[in-house]
Amino acid sequence: MSIVITRIDERLIHGQVAYSWSVAYQVTEYLVIDDEAANDPTQILLLSMAVPSGKKHAILSVENAVRYLAAQPESVKTFIVVKSPHVLLSLIEKGITLPSINVGGMYYKPGKQEISKTVYLDEEDRDVFRKIRGHGIACEIRTSPSDKSIDLFTKI
């Protein structure tokens, strides 16, 4: 498997993800990992429509994603998109190696505090990121590829 970028974005695939990030990282495949979306035909249809023409994609549950990634050839440049750090910690604990994590969109909800314009965390999110840091994985805050990278761990 060749994971070229892993992003947390509650909107999953949208214009910025579909074009800016995929061009910057030359991805050949989008992999949305979300148990809810993977079991909802409407979300699968909408997310599939957001993928640029000519790019592969899959929308999988966490369990299916682990098997899928383990079988990926190195020639596929995968862009993983998830809604929360909890999914990524689960992947890491199941043996998937993530080179780094980009945090782009975790939006306001009651009980969450702002750490950047597009990232809001509660204590549970902070704990998950600390566990991810324990695996030696860098986490950056960056909305678009041209933005300055901010080390998430300096904010929590």
Side-chain angles (χ1 to χ4, degrees):
M1 82 184 110
S2 178
I3 299 168
V4 293
I5 181 168
T6 302
R7 179 173 170 90
I8 300 171
D9 192 320
E10 292 178 0
R11 296 182 294 164
L12 297 173
I13 299 174
H14 55 87
Q16 192 175 65
V17 167
Y19 294 99
S20 297
W21 288 98
S22 68
V23 169
Y25 285 85
Q26 297 293 302
V27 302
T28 58
E29 175 188 56
Y30 295 86
L31 177 56
V32 172
I33 304 173
D34 186 84
D35 289 348
E36 183 182 326
N39 292 299
D40 181 340
T42 302
Q43 286 192 56
I44 291 171
L45 175 65
L46 292 172
L47 289 166
S48 298
M49 292 171 59
V51 174
S53 177
K55 303 286 186 186
K56 291 177 51 180
H57 70 281
I59 301 156
L60 302 173
S61 67
V62 172
E63 291 302 320
N64 288 337
V66 170
R67 286 190 291 276
Y68 184 84
L69 287 167
Q72 281 286 59
E74 286 293 323
S75 61
V76 177
K77 295 181 176 180
T78 302
F79 184 168
I80 293 177
V81 184
V82 302
K83 288 182 180 175
S84 84
H86 300 76
V87 172
L88 298 177
L89 180 60
S90 180
L91 291 174
I92 294 164
E93 290 175 342
K94 293 176 188 313
I96 300 299
T97 302
L98 302 175
S100 64
I101 295 171
N102 166 265
V103 184
M106 294 179 68
Y107 302 106
Y108 175 78
K109 293 182 181 90
K112 295 200 176 209
Q113 293 142 356
E114 181 179 358
I115 65 165
S116 79
K117 285 187 343 187
T118 59
V119 179
Y120 293 78
L121 303 177
D122 59 21
E123 198 52 42
E124 185 178 337
D125 296 327
R126 285 180 170 83
D127 287 344
V128 170
F129 278 116
R130 289 181 190 112
K131 289 177 183 173
I132 289 171
R133 178 174 50 193
H135 290 275
I137 299 171
C139 294
E140 68 165 357
I141 299 169
R142 194 161 47 130
T143 304
S144 73
S146 60
D147 290 346
K148 180 181 175 195
S149 176
I150 300 168
D151 181 349
L152 178 133
F153 299 123
T154 64
K155 300 286 189 176
I156 61 173

